[in-house]
């Protein structure tokens, strides 16, 4: 059966799954509801569907493989009893789905797909860099979080619909301690409009089950203020975060949004090999969170406004160590 990426995105947008037992998964997709038994041996999970034959569909098999590998770092690949012929040929040559390849397959999580721009170069503030793609609109990433039993989404910020929440978040005492951007509604409208107009920054709103909880900025490092402080690659990206809703602060929420944001960044452009950050050197809790999430500590340095720590996460580390699964 031919593999259809557009069909796959439609089929998987409403998917969810839950472990009913250590070796039993309940799966819901546009194809219906299925239960699958797992047999795990030597880091390979073999999946057998029962309670009726599932459709001979690559989309369903990839959804099942996601469900099996979403919470277990030890599983390196997934095989399907009796359905190997339905696996997409271009990502499976052995009758198995390699989890590190599966989780780099963007159409499972990105509702909008486009080919990366060819590397035409231009200059910003004296620095040569590739021309950056036009800003998307709407939702750019969606993932079901099984340990929360809800979706997380990232969508491009809108100065009209998101201004009130952004204004409230920036004036939150805890957020302002880090961002130092408290102020008027007009100031915050200008910030959102400037970020949207800036080719090197993508401003995002994060939501759990359609409830907005925080503001994120994803930026191209080479044109950013961070770029001169290290040997920035053309496709390195960095990020900033403000969790505006107090109810969504804490370990269980970080375990979902942090690996999901990193996952989005790596999927958004396959040439991105490194994600960087520059937390305050004194922000011990954030640095501990980054350390548990696979970021290496590179060096301390001084911005004009703060002493910072350069941290870095590589694509090889994220997918090789299955860091979409949070640390236990």
């Amino acid at each position: 059966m031919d593999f259809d990426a557009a069909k796959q995105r439609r089929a998987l947008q409403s998917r969810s799954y839950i472990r009913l037992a250590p070796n039993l998964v309940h799966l819901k997709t546009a194809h219906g509801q299925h239960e699958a038994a797992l047999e795990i041996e030597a880091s390979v999970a073999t999946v057998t569907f029962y309670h009726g034959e599932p459709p001979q569909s690559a989309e369903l098999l990839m959804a099942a493989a996601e469900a099996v590998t979403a919470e277990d770092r030890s599983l390196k690949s997934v095989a399907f009893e009796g359905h190997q012929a339905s696996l997409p040929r271009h990502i499976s040559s052995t009758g198995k789905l390699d989890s590190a390849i599966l989780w780099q397959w963007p159409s499972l999580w990105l509702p909008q797909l486009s080919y990366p721009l060819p590397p035409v170069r231009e200059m910003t503030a004296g620095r040569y860099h590739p021309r950056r793609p036009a800003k998307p609109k709407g939702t750019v990433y969606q993932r079901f979080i099984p340990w929360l039993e809800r979706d997380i989404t990232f969508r491009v910020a809108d100065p009209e619909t998101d201004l009130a929440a952004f204004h409230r978040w920036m004036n939150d005492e805890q957020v302002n301690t880090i961002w130092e951007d408290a102020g008027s509604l007009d100031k915050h409208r200008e910030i959102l409009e400037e970020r949207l107009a800036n080719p090197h920054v993508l401003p995002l709103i994060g939501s759990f089950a359609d409830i907005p909880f925080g503001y994120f900025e994803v930026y191209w490092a080479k044109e950013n203020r961070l770029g001169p402080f290290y040997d920035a690659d053309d496709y390195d990206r960095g990020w900033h975060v403000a969790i505006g809703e107090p109810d969504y602060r804490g370990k269980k929420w970080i375990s979902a949004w942090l690996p999901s944001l990193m996952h989005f960044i790596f999927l958004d452009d396959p040439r991105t090999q490194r994600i960087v950050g520059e937390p305050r050197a004194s922000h011990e809790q954030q640095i501990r969170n980054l350390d548990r999430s696979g970021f290496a500590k590179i060096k301390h340095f001084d911005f004009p406004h703060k002493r910072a720590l350069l941290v870095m996460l590589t694509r090889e580390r994220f997918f090789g160590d299955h860091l979409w699964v949070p640390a236990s």
Side-chain angles (χ1 to χ4, degrees), residues 173-202:
E173 182 178 354
Q174 187 167 328
V175 171
N176 188 51
T177 298
I178 303 299
W179 282 70
E180 300 178 344
D181 267 328
S184 68
L185 203 66
D186 286 342
K187 174 183 176 177
H188 294 142
R189 180 183 290 106
E190 289 176 2
I191 289 174
L192 286 179
E193 290 175 347
E194 186 278 329
R195 300 299 192 271
L196 284 166
N198 189 330
H200 98 269
V201 179
L202 182 63

Side-chain angles (χ1 to χ4, degrees), residues 165 168-176 206 208 211-215 242-254 257:
R168 179 164 49 82
W169 295 343
M170 290 296 110
N171 284 312
D172 177 271
E173 182 178 354
Q174 187 167 328
V175 171
N176 188 51
F208 284 114
I211 299 174
F213 69 91
Y215 172 73
I243 303 301
E245 297 297 336
D247 289 347
Y248 290 88
R249 295 168 185 160
K251 182 178 179 180
K252 78 171 185 176
W253 305 107
I254 294 172
W257 68 252

Side-chain angles (χ1 to χ4, degrees), residues 203-275:
L204 301 172
I205 300 295
S207 297
F208 284 114
D210 296 325
I211 299 174
F213 69 91
Y215 172 73
F216 301 82
E217 290 179 350
V218 175
Y219 59 84
W220 297 103
K222 201 155 196 180
E223 301 97 289
N224 185 264
R225 67 187 182 187
L226 178 58
F229 289 91
Y230 81 107
D231 186 16
D233 186 76
D234 281 347
Y235 297 99
D236 285 357
R237 291 182 99 167
W239 56 286
H240 298 132
V241 57
I243 303 301
E245 297 297 336
D247 289 347
Y248 290 88
R249 295 168 185 160
K251 182 178 179 180
K252 78 171 185 176
W253 305 107
I254 294 172
S255 75
W257 68 252
L258 182 52
S260 295
L261 184 68
M262 302 307 103
H263 191 209
F264 162 69
I265 292 172
F266 282 126
L267 294 184
D268 191 49
D269 193 315
R271 296 169 295 190
T272 294
Q273 300 299 312
R274 304 187 298 189
I275 298 173

Side-chain angles (χ1 to χ4, degrees), residues 7 21 38 57 68 85 90-91 94 154 170 185 196 220 223 228 232 237 268 300 316:
K7 178 183 175 184
L38 314 180
S57 163
V68 170
H90 46 301
I91 64 172
T94 63
F154 296 111
M170 290 296 110
L185 203 66
L196 284 166
W220 297 103
E223 301 97 289
R237 291 182 99 167
D268 191 49
H300 289 91
E316 182 179 12

Side-chain angles (χ1 to χ4, degrees), residues 83-215:
H83 300 288
Q84 288 87 344
S86 296
L87 291 172
R89 292 186 298 275
H90 46 301
I91 64 172
S92 173
S93 59
T94 63
K96 300 175 184 177
L97 281 176
D98 184 303
S99 58
I101 294 176
L102 174 79
W103 282 81
Q104 292 186 72
W105 198 248
S107 59
L108 280 164
W109 297 277
L110 305 191
Q112 307 177 52
L113 288 180
S114 59
Y115 288 101
L117 282 178
V120 176
R121 302 187 69 80
E122 55 190 20
M123 182 178 285
T124 298
R127 280 170 276 172
Y128 280 107
H129 59 86
R131 182 177 299 168
R132 305 308 183 186
K135 298 285 179 69
K137 295 181 180 180
T139 300
V140 295
Y141 179 90
Q142 180 174 344
R143 176 186 172 192
F144 179 72
I145 306 296
W147 55 95
L148 298 178
E149 296 187 20
R150 68 191 75 193
D151 282 347
I152 186 172
T153 59
F154 296 111
R155 59 176 174 79
V156 180
D158 184 315
E160 298 304 319
T161 60
D162 298 315
L163 179 59
F166 182 75
H167 174 62
R168 179 164 49 82
W169 295 343
M170 290 296 110
N171 284 312
D172 177 271
E173 182 178 354
Q174 187 167 328
V175 171
N176 188 51
T177 298
I178 303 299
W179 282 70
E180 300 178 344
D181 267 328
S184 68
L185 203 66
D186 286 342
K187 174 183 176 177
H188 294 142
R189 180 183 290 106
E190 289 176 2
I191 289 174
L192 286 179
E193 290 175 347
E194 186 278 329
R195 300 299 192 271
L196 284 166
N198 189 330
H200 98 269
V201 179
L202 182 63
L204 301 172
I205 300 295
S207 297
F208 284 114
D210 296 325
I211 299 174
F213 69 91
Y215 172 73

